[in-house]
Amino acid sequence: MSTNIASSQPCDAVPNPDDVFAGLKVAVVPFPALGDITIYLRLCWLFCRSGAHVTFYSNAFYSAREYFPWLTIVPEHDDELDELAGRFELVIACFEKYYFRKKWSPLYAALNNVAFVTAKKISRDSGLDGCGVVIRGKDFFGASRAFCLDSNAGKSMVEWVDGYAKEVFAIETHPMPGLPGLQLDNDAGLVLIFPTTPQPKKNYWMAGFRWLANALQKKGWRVEFVCMPDEREEVLKAVPGFQVRSFPDIKGLIDHVALASIVISNDSGGGHLASFMGLATFTITRRHRYFAWRPGFNQFNTVVYPWFRFKWLGDYIWRPFVPVRLIARKIGRPDSGV
């Protein structure tokens, strides 16, 4: 049976015309990593639900713009921040993207309609943390800040973004819509494994993923590995006999993830995307069950973490203590579900 995840009407809010967000022109400039982008998409949706017209600057998601009719997605531009601030009534900009990765101008700190945000920390030296914005003559205090204020609070980044929208802008949370025209083939019997991340220290053993793939295959699942195009040859050597896929753009990745029932990954963007799309996910992390960057878009997200870890010569030893067999036990046969 296929499930259409476009069950909600996109941006079906009817904003109060007197509300400060009605028709507000908002630009959102995210951190470009896949996991971060899904979190920023959540923020875009909350502003859209409040009546704003949101423009999202993302090279990665530009190819998939047809799946987000409620949002204007455009390629990333080289515009100076003051130019964006002149064209939009509110700009929500990734702190790292401007303070560290582009030429920084002290004038940016004086822009009173720009909110600088980040996942966990805005440098104290920047002087930006805690600054507010002014929208249509109304002050919104503390708009420049990290989403996550306490890594030990147990909240996911989705919950932290919801909290940011509520605490700073008084915007209530609301379920996200589906992706129009895209079908989730939940009974396809396909498991996707994302075995790599841009940070090798977060990667579980490839041999462990291969063992897990074999165990699931014996249960009747089709198992495929997904990686970046430049990683494909290396992954092929590590998992002989299994299909290894890579995609030239995010639309191709979304279309393929929609064919799967389950996604298994390191702490990486693949898990966030799958959770965003409503799939069951299993995330292997070197941290703990309630680490903030776990997938959090639905209730079918399981975190698998080491029972024990210790530091040796400056590095954490954690991979031998991950109960990867737990994933194989929790996943039933394709005809019985997870």
Side-chain angles (χ1 to χ4, degrees):
M1 180 180 68
S2 297
T3 303
N4 189 332
I5 62 175
S7 56
S8 301
Q9 291 298 317
C11 214
D12 53 359
V14 181
N16 184 333
D18 296 326
D19 189 274
V20 69
F21 299 113
L24 187 76
K25 294 173 61 179
V26 179
V28 177
V29 185
F31 191 81
L34 178 57
D36 294 78
I37 292 174
T38 61
I39 299 300
Y40 280 84
L41 280 170
R42 175 73 171 191
L43 186 61
C44 290
W45 167 246
L46 296 177
F47 271 95
C48 173
R49 278 286 306 176
S50 294
H53 298 310
V54 184
T55 299
F56 191 57
Y57 286 83
S58 173
N59 289 340
F61 269 74
Y62 182 69
S63 65
R65 60 195 181 279
E66 67 187 73
Y67 292 141
F68 302 89
W70 49 270
L71 180 65
T72 300
I73 302 179
V74 298
E76 297 169 26
H77 294 177
D78 291 327
D79 306 60
E80 295 296 332
L81 196 54
D82 54 348
E83 295 175 353
L84 277 180
R87 296 205 306 273
F88 292 91
E89 294 173 274
L90 172 64
V91 178
I92 300 178
C94 169
F95 169 72
E96 294 92 341
K97 192 173 180 69
Y98 284 95
Y99 194 72
F100 294 122
R101 300 194 169 202
K102 290 190 175 183
K103 186 177 179 181
W104 175 258
S105 168
L107 295 176
Y108 293 166
L111 298 170
N112 69 356
N113 66 333
V114 176
F116 293 94
V117 295
T118 186
K120 290 189 175 181
K121 187 177 181 181
I122 289 183
S123 169
R124 183 177 297 177
D125 295 339
S126 71
L128 297 170
D129 194 21
C131 291
V133 293
V134 180
I135 305 173
R136 295 179 175 176
K138 183 175 180 179
D139 291 310
F140 292 87
F141 300 102
S144 290
R145 57 165 254 201
F147 294 136
C148 175
L149 301 179
D150 180 3
S151 295
N152 296 317
K155 296 180 181 179
S156 70
M157 288 303 299
V158 173
E159 293 172 303
W160 280 115
V161 166
D162 287 354
Y164 171 79
K166 172 69 173 176
E167 294 158 19
V168 176
F169 298 102
I171 295 175
E172 299 290 343
T173 189
H174 192 277
M176 295 193 71
L179 307 183
L182 192 63
Q183 301 288 324
L184 285 183
D185 291 331
N186 300 116
D187 296 333
L190 175 63
V191 174
L192 299 180
I193 297 178
F194 290 73
T196 60
T197 74
Q199 300 182 45
K201 66 182 180 180
K202 298 198 305 185
N203 292 351
Y204 182 60
W205 281 326
M206 192 66 75
F209 280 123
R210 187 173 64 243
W211 177 90
L212 181 58
N214 281 316
L216 294 175
Q217 194 174 63
K218 290 176 182 177
K219 285 189 169 187
W221 292 94
R222 291 186 298 114
V223 182
E224 296 179 353
F225 287 79
V226 181
C227 63
M228 298 293 290
D230 61 352
E231 300 170 330
R232 188 169 183 272
E233 290 302 317
E234 201 65 31
V235 175
L236 273 169
K237 294 176 185 176
V239 292
F242 288 98
Q243 177 76 43
V244 178
R245 296 187 183 274
S246 60
F247 301 91
D249 54 44
I250 291 295
K251 182 183 184 301
L253 177 61
I254 288 175
D255 290 345
H256 195 69
V257 170
L259 303 177
S261 299
I262 300 168
V263 164
I264 301 169
S265 69
N266 293 290
D267 169 16
S268 67
H272 291 284
L273 179 64
S275 179
F276 178 84
M277 294 172 63
L279 274 68
T281 67
F282 289 84
T283 301
I284 295 176
T285 178
R286 61 198 170 103
R287 300 188 180 280
H288 53 82
R289 179 183 299 174
Y290 298 110
F291 77 107
W293 267 110
R294 67 190 185 275
F297 285 96
N298 65 58
Q299 69 270 36
F300 308 113
N301 304 293
T302 301
V303 175
V304 182
Y305 57 98
W307 288 325
F308 177 73
R309 69 175 189 166
F310 62 91
K311 204 167 189 177
W312 177 259
L313 299 178
D315 293 321
Y316 278 105
I317 308 300
W318 59 276
R319 293 174 182 86
F321 311 113
V322 173
V324 69
R325 295 175 185 272
L326 179 67
I327 301 176
R329 288 200 301 269
K330 279 184 171 289
I331 297 177
R333 295 186 177 276
D335 56 356
S336 63
V338 180

